[in-house]
Amino acid sequence: MFDIAVFGSLFLTLFVIMDPPGITPIFLGLTAGRPAKVQKRMAFQAVCVAGGVITVFGVLGHQILDYLHVSVPALMIAGGLLLLLIALDLLTGKTDEPKQTKDVNVALVPLGMPLLAGPGAIVSVILAVQKADSVGLQVSVWAAILAIHVVLWLVMRYSLLIIRVIKDGGVVLVTRLAGMMLSAIAVQQIINGVTQVIQGG
């Protein structure tokens, strides 16, 4: 039987962690300068990548981490360092790599992972799936995961309307703002990982 409380709880948790409103300036900054058609495709690709990663870890999360001998704090620190490198590129304007490579990298990294499918979302899903001990609860959990990814896609898809209003000068401003926000997220993620290592030790 579908459990609305489980659905709502996981959806709200993932909404806070994956932060659809907060991803908007980062998405606009990372995809600036591309045709609208390409940006729409990248929004869809990023959500598909995030959904795929979340699904894999939801089904096989503990086995994957145990097999690789990787702890959750290590995953958080690695993701933070990766985000920090990309944030520095946004802040300094170093986005002159080949267009095809940029398209692929932005959709997969950092948008798909670790921004959307970050350590926080992965751990939340692993725990939710583990606690769901009936078919109804499993359906509720996976419905919440699907719902948050639909919301993420809609937010990024229609954030492109902002580009028409702010024009080129605004895009540069958004890109720098995205770099600053991304660097703060990255540093916080590294701090959280290091704190967990210290507490665990």
Side-chain angles (χ1 to χ4, degrees), residues 72-82 119 186 189-195 197:
V72 173
L75 192 64
M76 296 177 73
I77 294 170
L81 290 172
L82 179 60
Q189 194 162 295
I190 293 170
I191 291 172
N192 292 344
V194 172
T195 301
V197 170

Side-chain angles (χ1 to χ4, degrees), residues 1 6 28 30 35-36 39 63 75 84 94 102 133 136 139 149 152 159 163 178 187:
M1 182 177 177
V6 170
L28 293 175
L30 289 170
Q39 290 176 307
Q63 294 91 324
L75 192 64
L84 189 57
K94 294 180 180 177
K102 282 179 69 181
D133 52 6
V139 170
H149 283 82
L152 284 165
S159 69
I163 293 290
V187 171

